[in-house]
Amino acid sequence: MKVFFKLKWFFIEKKKEYIIGLIMLTFVAILNLLPPKIIGYIIDEIAAKHLTPASLVKWMTILVLVALFMYLLRFYWRLLIFGSSNYLAKTLREKLFSHFTKLSPSFYQSRRVGDLMAHATNDISAVQQIAGVGILTLFDSIATGGFVILAMAFTIDWRLTLIALIPMPFMALSTSYYGKLLHKRFGVAQAAFSDLNDKTQESISGIKVIKTFGQQKEDIEEFKSLSNSVVEKNMQVAKVDSLFDPTISLIVGISFLLSLAFGAKFIVDGTMTIGDLIAFNTYLGLLVWPMLAFGMLFNILERGSASYDRIEELLGVPMDIQDKPDAIDQQPKGDIRFELENFTFPGEQVSALKHIHFELKRGETLGIVGKTGSGKTTLLKLLMREYEGYDGTIHFGSHKIDAYKKERLKEAFGYVPQDHFLFSTTIFSNIAFINPTVEKEKVERAAKIAHIHEDILRFPDGYETIVGERGVSLSGGQKQRISIARALLLNPELLILDDSLSAVDAKTEEAIITSLKAERQHATTIITSHRLSAIEHADLIIVLHEGTIVEKGTHEELMAKKGKYYEMYQLQQLEKLVEKGGYCDE
Ligand SMILES: Nc1ncnc2c1ncn2[C@@H]1O[C@H](COP(=O)(O)OP(=O)(O)OP(=O)(O)O)[C@@H](O)[C@H]1O
């Protein structure tokens, strides 16, 4: 029942609908009492040979009118109560989705997508049940059941009512026991469903890899085994679920038996009429649903409460990085200054970055090179404030990055990540992602700087060509260049290319870099790369090794130093030479 209290905010919001709906349900419950009473009365009239055709027509008309009125009331309460429960599902879904969009990368690293999807579907529908069927069963088990019992006791016979109610405590005990069992098994079934969801999501996303390695059969087997596990766990739920109805029917049957035996005795004693016994038994029949509802209520509340707790737990996951109360509502502009002593990822022992000190003037280009795992992306993530908790400071313009509102800070970046992502929509919409109504000329201009315009014109529908699963397949280099165009469209204060030229050939790389230099003379650019040709032109180059800067300077300075950069340069020249078959055209 505590879950109703937890959902107080929703019931208050929808109080009008629930109050009107429950008033209608009360009317239905009261009107429900009339037919048995009328039928009992008619039978007694028949037995006493008092029934006239006129009174029969009168009672029949009343019965029909009662039925019609109940029909209308039942339609409207369903509309109000079940309609509101849909609204609860919609509100929770939106809250959850909006919260998901604000959570940090570390949250997504620790949670499985399949799990999150299961929460957003199964758990929400279990909570929705509380506000719909849950309210109905609560009302029916207490009010409808209560009215029927009162009608039996006060309008027919209180002795027989007490006798017929003897088996009831057993029902309360068994439903509560089944409820607990169900809660446990439902949790297990839910976990199995999450695993299956996860597997499906992973298999569909990784279908190319699965096919390439010819692992379809193994994948299908694994899927089958998870699917079987879901069925098996749900069977365990169904077993308990299936015990509910027979148990309740058995208890109701005992009630009928008792009422028939003792009712017959009371008729023989002359303390009860046949009509009364028939009316009593009809009431007892009306009691079956409230009793079933009582059992269902436990079930719905157990499931819904566990689901609501899980949803609340997710909604309670704090956004890792929050704005300060006096955060600056202004987009940062200007020089970038790193004075970072140490950064370690949450839960890790070893530092990912140490002693990172450099300054980049507005409009300059920074090149970051280093072996894989040397900390290039981590440095960028800190600059974009995806992680905090480091020793030192990072300035952007005249303030530290954490002094700005996060939204405003983000606006300053045009970030092209290593693992670029294109949506299954048109090329135009992919580039115009941040501003779908932008003019075509601007999109084309960005595409020209990223040297993808010509490629796009060659596609069947030009900029309207659909990419991804529903459309054309693009090469890695084309995808990278579309991602670059997307970032360029923002005309960002700081453009970040995180190894974003790795899949384009050397000539295209050079052309892109030349256009970027010409277009972005007054804005800052950071390029990380394994290939030195991508950063050779930079105003400042830093060489990272095991999370720390081992060299920094311009290309010429670093070459003159004959250190790590020089070694990398020589090695890459040699590689180029080998690729060309041993001839150097310089
Ligand atoms: N979220 C994380 N949690 C813990 N460790 C991480 C996390 N992200 C990266 N690391 C670790 O930090 C180190 C630096 O990783 P980073 O991605 O910055 O390297 P990189 O230089 O960008 O490599 P690459 O060139 O392969 O992209 C690596 O050892 C990596 O395993």
Side-chain angles (χ1 to χ4, degrees), residues 109 345 348 352 371-378 387 418 530:
Q109 252 163 18
F345 277 106
E348 297 291 324
K371 277 201 303 205
T372 171
S374 56
K376 302 183 291 293
T377 305
T378 308
Y387 289 93
Q418 256 170 349
H530 291 114

Side-chain angles (χ1 to χ4, degrees), residues 204-223:
I204 293 176
S205 316
I207 193 75
K208 280 188 195 145
V209 180
I210 292 169
K211 283 194 167 173
T212 314
F213 285 88
Q215 291 294 302
Q216 292 100 313
K217 227 173 107 204
E218 287 76 2
D219 199 52
I220 291 170
E221 283 308 314
E222 203 182 324
F223 182 86

Side-chain angles (χ1 to χ4, degrees), residues 324 328 392-404 409:
K324 290 188 171 161
I328 305 166
T393 54
I394 303 172
H395 278 81
F396 193 165
S398 39
H399 302 278
K400 285 195 271 185
I401 52 169
D402 58 3
Y404 296 96
L409 179 72

